Amino acid sequence: MLTELRIESLGAISVATAEFGRGLTVLTGETGAGKTMVVTGLHLLGGARADATRVRSGAERAIVEGRFTTSDLDDLAAAHLDEMLDASGAERDEDGSVITLRSVSRDGPSRAYLGGRSVPAKSLSGFTTELLTLHGQNDQLRLMRPEEQRGALDRFADAASALERYRKLRDAWLTARRDLADRRDRARELAQEADRLKFALDEIDAVDPRPGEDDALVADILRLSELDTLREAAATARAALSADDPDAFGTTATDGLGRARAALESADDATLRALAAQIGEALTVVADAAHELGGFLDELPVDASALESKLARQAQLRMLTRKYAADIDGVLRWARESRERLAQLDVSEEGLAALERRVDELARELGGAAVDLGKTRRKAAKRLAKEVTAELSALAMADAEFTVDVATDIVPGAAGPGDPAILRLPSGELVRAGADGVDQVEFGFAAHRGMTVLPLAKSASGGELSRVMLALEVVLAASRRISVGTTMVFDEIDAGVGGRAAVQIGRRLARLARTHQVIVVTHLPQVAAYADVHLVVHGTGPNGASGVRRVSDDDRVAELARMLAGLGESDSGRAHARELLDAAQADQI
């Protein structure tokens, strides 16, 4: 429920705050005072495109702030909104309400805020559209569109689960059909790709490279190419450290260190004995180095034949790196990815047949889902037509007839090659499987008995269309297809209506307000008289700014008198307004 709306620098409104309560709230005021800006502000909170031209002259930005409560919603709807708040990181105010805000800059981008957090306008829209249903003259025009009529019928029929099942099957069916068509069109190309991958993988497997082998080979080849130099250097160093034949090489490092340690150990001095221990450690290091040099010499090849073997292996690896990757690790990675790709390239006839069976199976399931969805719609269409017709009778259109026609979108003849969404139903009929089913929904209307029922777009005047929309909303609300506790906003839905019909619109809006918060912008005193809360949009100063104030008692009577005939200051006007107000308050709705 919307509890407060604050508008700053939007159109004719400089700064205005309106507080709303449960039941029916009406907004009235002189033409041009800014009533529509209130609805424009709500549209902005609902995610409408920001229009910089709406920013009031002299201001840098327009701001619309709304405060909502969710305590009147059912548990499921409230939990869904809580999930949205958590996902956005938004927080509730201390009283449990949620503050929403939209800022429209004259020069820069617009900003949206939800629960104190900056969010994309789409996120704000996702939250507010769960709480707000906006109806204006543009919405009446949208009601003429087939997709809007189908959506209204689906809400009344509670067809959400059937429609979701149909859409999931349709997506799977279309995907399988595309895969099959791609498979057929690219059969030769895929077979060639598979052959290339097999050849490459066989070539790699024949070489059988190991991770990092190319780098290891470079080191081995460098060593083998300098075999004599390495052998001489290692042998000389080993002999200098520890020789097997001391006479041949003279005194070695180990000999010298051994004599030095022995000399120090024979002395009766703690310092010298400590130094002897250090020399002993050095002797161990030298002995280890000499041993490792011996091992190095033992591992060196006796001749250069090993070098030729290494060079041949390097040539094999370079052949792979020239074709498939910069190094052997890359070649192995390419091979893994290619094996996965090859596993996906099922070019066998069995694979093609399996894909064809999958398409046929999904088509049968989709056809069944389409038929079930159509049955749900047709069953609900009769009830919706009957209930809306009854509501129209209560809106001073006793002879009006409202119809809902549900027809299957049958395609004559064979499916065209360019249309990928042709489906054969279990009955054998070919239909176009659209995103919302295979049905075409059309609202029909005749204002008087004896008139031919024509499509709503061709048969209803502006005033009649307003009442059709209101009747439809009342029926949807009564069937609980619009969540209890949400806010419904009507912008001059009574346009083109007067007299007894206006009274009936007021009564129906008051009835709707039993289960929903209803906000109405109206120019009809007959409607305003039924309000629980009456707000007036009025001029506040010489600069043309407007504000919003709540009226009651004598002020409300004066406003109703002004709406009746501009007679707010006359006794007769006030008397007429008082009579109208008393009659509305005494009406047992």
Side-chain angles (χ1 to χ4, degrees), residues 261-547:
R261 183 179 64 177
L264 294 177
E265 287 177 342
S266 64
D268 187 14
D269 183 83
T271 301
L272 294 180
R273 283 198 297 272
L275 291 173
Q278 293 182 26
I279 292 174
E281 294 175 0
L283 183 60
T284 301
V285 172
V286 170
D288 289 343
H291 179 73
E292 291 182 14
L293 285 169
F296 178 82
L297 288 168
D298 292 339
E299 292 177 359
L300 286 178
V302 178
D303 55 40
S305 60
L307 177 60
E308 296 178 1
S309 174
K310 297 286 185 180
L311 289 172
R313 179 63 176 173
Q314 187 181 53
Q316 290 180 316
L317 298 183
R318 284 180 173 174
M319 180 268 294
L320 298 181
T321 56
R322 281 197 304 270
K323 290 184 176 181
Y324 307 113
D327 55 28
I328 289 301
D329 288 346
V331 170
L332 293 172
R333 185 165 52 252
W334 183 91
R336 286 195 301 272
E337 294 171 354
S338 296
R339 292 185 203 281
E340 294 174 0
R341 172 62 177 164
L342 187 60
Q344 297 171 357
L345 293 177
D346 184 1
V347 295
S348 65
E349 290 298 325
E350 293 80 3
L352 182 62
L355 194 52
E356 290 173 342
R357 289 193 298 271
R358 174 63 175 162
V359 171
D360 292 341
E361 178 185 351
L362 286 171
R364 285 192 295 271
E365 292 185 36
L366 179 61
V371 170
D372 292 343
L373 179 58
K375 288 179 179 178
T376 300
R377 286 170 170 165
R378 287 178 176 82
K379 182 178 179 181
K382 296 179 181 179
R383 292 189 293 110
L384 180 61
K386 181 179 179 180
E387 293 183 25
V388 171
T389 297
E391 280 297 323
L392 289 173
S393 178
L395 289 170
M397 299 180 71
D399 295 331
E401 181 181 1
F402 179 81
T403 63
V404 181
D405 180 61
V406 181
T408 304
D409 188 10
I410 298 176
V411 179
D419 194 338
I422 300 300
L423 174 70
R424 187 177 297 278
L425 295 180
S427 62
E429 295 174 313
L430 291 176
V431 296
R432 185 169 287 102
D436 296 309
V438 301
D439 306 310
Q440 293 179 326
V441 177
E442 185 175 73
F443 289 172
F445 178 75
H448 302 285
R449 185 180 294 112
M451 293 180 62
T452 302
V453 175
L454 296 175
L456 186 63
K458 298 180 179 179
S459 57
S461 65
E464 291 166 347
L465 191 59
S466 296
R467 282 178 277 180
V468 169
M469 172 172 278
L470 179 57
L472 186 61
E473 291 298 336
V474 170
V475 169
L476 290 175
S479 65
R480 294 295 189 268
R481 301 310 177 213
I482 301 176
S483 298
V484 173
T486 56
T487 300
M488 304 180 70
V489 182
F490 296 93
D491 181 16
E492 296 192 2
I493 195 173
D494 49 18
V497 178
R500 188 165 62 91
V503 174
Q504 294 303 323
I505 287 178
R507 297 185 80 247
R508 279 303 180 270
L509 288 170
R511 175 183 293 181
L512 190 59
R514 291 176 178 175
T515 54
H516 300 75
Q517 182 188 41
V518 179
I519 300 172
V520 182
V521 176
T522 182
H523 66 283
L524 293 179
Q526 297 95 323
V527 173
Y530 280 90
D532 299 299
V533 176
H534 191 154
L535 302 177
V536 177
V537 182
H538 62 95
T540 60
N543 62 351
S546 296

Side-chain angles (χ1 to χ4, degrees), residues 48-339:
R49 187 179 67 86
D51 184 357
T53 62
R54 295 286 192 178
V55 179
R56 184 171 174 78
S57 177
E60 292 297 323
R61 62 179 53 83
I63 296 175
V64 180
E65 180 181 301
R67 183 184 293 270
F68 292 89
T69 62
T70 59
S71 56
D72 291 339
L73 297 175
D74 58 64
D75 293 341
L76 184 62
H80 181 51
L81 289 177
D82 285 338
E83 291 177 2
M84 290 187 183
L85 293 174
D86 291 341
S88 300
E91 296 182 355
R92 293 180 180 270
D93 208 1
E94 294 179 354
D95 60 357
S97 63
V98 180
I99 297 176
T100 61
L101 187 144
R102 189 82 182 273
S103 171
V104 181
S105 174
R106 180 177 297 279
D107 301 318
S110 68
R111 303 290 184 188
Y113 299 86
L114 176 62
R117 296 295 297 271
S118 177
V119 296
K122 186 176 181 180
S123 297
L124 178 63
S125 172
F127 178 82
T128 54
T129 52
E130 294 289 327
L131 296 168
L132 280 174
T133 304
L134 300 168
H135 298 285
Q137 295 184 20
N138 289 336
D139 299 281
Q140 295 175 24
L141 296 177
R142 284 203 299 270
L143 186 60
M144 297 182 182
R145 301 174 185 170
E147 62 271 20
E148 294 292 332
Q149 296 175 6
R150 182 172 52 233
L153 175 60
D154 284 348
R155 290 198 301 276
F156 180 78
D158 196 16
S161 59
L163 182 58
E164 181 181 8
R165 176 173 176 264
Y166 167 85
R167 284 173 173 168
K168 287 182 177 179
L169 285 170
R170 178 178 180 269
D171 289 343
W173 174 66
L174 290 175
T175 299
R177 285 193 59 170
R178 285 193 295 268
D179 291 344
L180 178 59
D182 181 69
R183 170 66 179 274
R184 288 170 173 166
D185 293 342
R186 299 182 58 214
R188 178 178 299 177
E189 180 183 343
L190 294 176
Q192 291 174 348
E193 182 183 358
D195 288 342
R196 288 194 299 270
L197 290 176
K198 289 178 182 177
F199 176 84
L201 291 172
D202 288 344
E203 190 172 46
I204 294 172
D205 290 342
V207 176
D208 191 22
R210 297 181 300 278
E213 185 180 359
D214 47 348
D215 293 334
L217 269 178
V218 170
D220 290 344
I221 291 172
L222 179 61
R223 177 181 296 175
L224 290 172
S225 63
E226 299 179 358
L227 186 61
D228 293 338
T229 302
L230 294 175
R231 181 179 286 111
E232 181 180 355
T236 301
R238 182 175 182 277
L241 295 177
S242 176
D244 295 331
D245 185 3
D247 295 335
F249 293 94
T251 302
T252 64
T254 54
D255 293 337
L257 290 171
R259 287 195 297 272
R261 183 179 64 177
L264 294 177
E265 287 177 342
S266 64
D268 187 14
D269 183 83
T271 301
L272 294 180
R273 283 198 297 272
L275 291 173
Q278 293 182 26
I279 292 174
E281 294 175 0
L283 183 60
T284 301
V285 172
V286 170
D288 289 343
H291 179 73
E292 291 182 14
L293 285 169
F296 178 82
L297 288 168
D298 292 339
E299 292 177 359
L300 286 178
V302 178
D303 55 40
S305 60
L307 177 60
E308 296 178 1
S309 174
K310 297 286 185 180
L311 289 172
R313 179 63 176 173
Q314 187 181 53
Q316 290 180 316
L317 298 183
R318 284 180 173 174
M319 180 268 294
L320 298 181
T321 56
R322 281 197 304 270
K323 290 184 176 181
Y324 307 113
D327 55 28
I328 289 301
D329 288 346
V331 170
L332 293 172
R333 185 165 52 252
W334 183 91
R336 286 195 301 272
E337 294 171 354
S338 296
R339 292 185 203 281

